[in-house]
Amino acid sequence: MAKFMIAPSILSADFSRLAEEIAAITEAGADWVHVDVMDGHFVPNLTIGAPVVKSLKPVSKLPLDCHLMIEEPEKYIEDFAKAGASTITIHVEATRDAAAVLKKIRSLGSKPGLTLKPATPASAIFPYLPLVDLVLVMTVNPGFSGQSFMAEQATKIAEIRAELKRIEHTALIEVDGGITPETARQVQDADVLVAGNAVFKAGVDYREAIRRLKDAKTESLT
Ligand code: DX5
Ligand code: ZN
């Protein structure tokens, strides 16, 4: 049976030892490294930018999955692409021309991803689905790690999956926010789980934490 892919969010890691933390999650079976970029405008928090991605690129064997929670991402995507971002995910609410930004991400050699806040309906991203390799469904209000999972957001996964099927387009669906081995059971139709606290602050070693998340996929999907 297929298992979830796991993208630990380094927002919950020890920032003074990021290279070691990435080596540890890699060894423990993580699939991607999730990098949460916040600008203090689009969300009420500040985190890290492209220079950190550039520093992590040579020390990470895993793809760097960059989630841009920033206004006007068009101003920064070239920096992230050059820094080595494998995937660059933008918020549909953050730009006036999502199609242009997604096309630019692809032209720069990164994979385009699109996400939406909990208050935004799934239909808001439908016009852009043909342009993306990844759809990120937020199950918390973006801005902070360690928040509670918003269960009602899980219905968006099926809506997006159905629309992808209707337009005959393949893209991975990733879920972000409040994921634990328990809440992960409610997002069976997703492919990739972002997990901050459930990996770095789980109270068990990273291998066990990641195994529990991967194993939360119990339904066999066709
Ligand atoms: C929230 C971020 C998430 C967050 C996940 O704005 O996008 O990636 O760090 O953290 P947990 O898994 O602890 O909710
Ligand atoms: Zn994120």
Side-chain angles (χ1 to χ4, degrees):
M1 188 190 297
K3 293 189 185 289
F4 287 120
M5 292 169 68
I6 307 299
S9 164
I10 56 169
L11 195 54
S12 297
D14 179 347
F15 269 46
S16 71
R17 299 171 40 251
L18 272 185
E20 285 168 52
E21 293 274 64
I22 289 177
I25 57 169
T26 305
E27 175 67 19
D31 296 279
W32 299 349
V33 177
H34 188 78
V35 181
D36 284 308
V37 178
M38 305 186 189
D39 68 350
H41 292 279
F42 184 72
V43 291
N45 196 5
L46 268 174
T47 56
I48 57 176
V52 175
V53 174
K54 190 176 177 188
S55 299
L56 295 179
K57 182 67 182 169
V59 301
S60 177
K61 291 181 196 150
L62 300 180
L64 299 175
D65 172 39
C66 297
H67 176 192
L68 270 49
M69 288 161 272
I70 63 178
E71 293 287 353
E72 299 185 280
E74 52 272 28
K75 289 184 180 169
Y76 303 98
I77 53 174
E78 191 161 349
D79 292 346
F80 281 93
K82 282 188 180 157
S86 309
T87 307
I88 300 177
T89 297
I90 61 161
H91 271 267
V92 70
E93 307 89 352
T95 178
R96 281 198 231 159
D97 194 349
V101 185
L102 293 165
K103 285 180 194 164
K104 188 166 178 193
I105 293 169
R106 195 179 295 285
S107 76
L108 291 166
S110 296
K111 293 181 179 173
L114 188 60
T115 185
L116 68 175
K117 289 179 172 179
T120 304
S123 58
I125 64 167
F126 285 179
Y128 311 109
L129 289 180
L131 300 172
V132 306
D133 289 351
L134 179 73
V135 179
L136 176 60
V137 174
M138 292 298 306
T139 44
V140 296
N141 280 309
F144 301 91
S145 61
Q147 302 182 78
S148 297
F149 178 77
M150 298 166 78
E152 78 284 358
Q153 294 299 318
T155 56
K156 282 183 185 165
I157 301 166
E159 284 180 72
I160 293 162
R161 184 69 77 193
E163 180 65 8
L164 286 169
K165 194 171 179 191
R166 192 186 70 78
I167 65 171
E168 297 180 355
H169 182 70
T170 307
L172 293 173
I173 300 181
E174 184 178 36
V175 183
D176 186 4
I179 292 293
T180 66
E182 291 70 39
T183 60
R185 290 177 194 279
Q186 299 171 49
V187 298
Q188 292 295 321
D189 212 6
D191 303 295
V192 187
L193 303 179
V194 175
N197 282 13
V199 170
F200 291 104
K201 296 180 179 160
V204 295
D205 66 42
Y206 295 167
R207 176 172 294 281
E208 176 63 13
I210 289 170
R211 188 192 63 76
R212 288 179 189 176
L213 290 165
K214 284 185 182 262
D215 288 351
K217 197 166 186 105
T218 55
E219 287 173 25
S220 177
L221 298 163
T222 51

